[in-house]
Amino acid sequence: MKKEQIIDHHESFKMWLNELKSINKEEWLQPMESGKWSIAANVSHIIKWDQYSLQEILPYVVEGAELTPFPDFKQFNGEAEEYAHRVVKQEDLVEEGIRTRNQIIAYVKNLSENDFLQAFKVGDQHFTLEEFFEDFIGHDKHHQEQIEEVVSLERT
């Protein structure tokens, strides 16, 4: 995946996030399926992982870096859900996501194409910077599809 593709994805994601402001509050907070997260929790989950990457991973990526393992997924995601439901308002969460994506875009713009080849570890997981971005973009798309499916069902 090339630098421009990564930037384009994050620019598109910001526009998509902005569209989520139009979802009514009830739909925003209700589970997308029985026993599943709400749209709010999904969005918060994405943003919190973006913020984690910006604070704990991306500043430390150099060839051969060995970074601390990812936090416990269940606890981390539970905190993201709590944040979405009890701390932040819908519009503020979306704006936080847009600001976070702007930070990622700025980071990517400062990289050379060779920087994407840097290999590093997060715990026992191996990545190149390119693979790291590809994984997170795949993660974005997975949650976007889930949310879009629910939103389109609600509107039909």
Side-chain angles (χ1 to χ4, degrees), residues 66-97:
E66 295 189 14
L67 308 179
T68 58
F70 290 111
D72 178 76
F73 293 126
K74 188 171 183 168
Q75 179 182 343
F76 189 91
N77 294 336
E79 290 169 5
E81 181 179 26
E82 179 80 12
Y83 181 72
H85 283 262
R86 292 183 177 61
V87 177
V88 69
K89 292 184 174 107
Q90 178 177 349
E91 186 168 329
D92 294 337
L93 183 62
V94 169
E95 287 299 324
E96 186 176 342

Side-chain angles (χ1 to χ4, degrees), residues 5-136:
Q5 292 172 295
I6 294 169
I7 292 168
D8 289 348
H9 167 79
H10 287 83
E11 290 288 357
S12 297
F13 196 85
K14 286 185 342 185
M15 290 187 288
W16 179 78
L17 279 173
N18 203 47
E19 291 172 10
L20 298 181
K21 290 179 184 176
S22 66
I23 295 172
N24 71 54
K25 185 176 180 180
E26 182 180 308
E27 184 180 4
W28 178 252
L29 294 172
Q30 73 187 16
M32 295 195 307
E33 290 180 42
S34 179
K36 299 288 185 182
W37 283 346
S38 64
I39 294 170
N42 263 284
V43 171
S44 181
H45 159 81
I46 293 166
I47 293 166
K48 292 302 180 187
W49 280 110
D50 285 351
Q51 292 168 343
Y52 179 86
S53 295
L54 281 164
Q55 294 165 8
E56 303 296 332
I57 295 176
L58 297 177
Y60 307 104
V61 170
V62 293
E63 183 63 35
E66 295 189 14
L67 308 179
T68 58
F70 290 111
D72 178 76
F73 293 126
K74 188 171 183 168
Q75 179 182 343
F76 189 91
N77 294 336
E79 290 169 5
E81 181 179 26
E82 179 80 12
Y83 181 72
H85 283 262
R86 292 183 177 61
V87 177
V88 69
K89 292 184 174 107
Q90 178 177 349
E91 186 168 329
D92 294 337
L93 183 62
V94 169
E95 287 299 324
E96 186 176 342
I98 292 168
R99 284 190 307 275
T100 302
R101 288 297 163 127
N102 283 333
Q103 291 175 299
I104 293 172
I105 291 165
Y107 173 85
V108 171
K109 284 182 176 180
N110 284 321
L111 297 172
S112 72
E113 288 296 338
N114 283 342
D115 289 335
F116 290 98
L117 303 176
Q118 294 177 100
F120 63 100
K121 287 172 61 175
V122 179
D124 60 359
Q125 294 181 273
H126 296 262
F127 298 95
T128 63
L129 192 54
E130 178 181 31
E131 291 167 342
F132 184 80
F133 278 109
E134 286 173 351
D135 280 2
F136 271 82

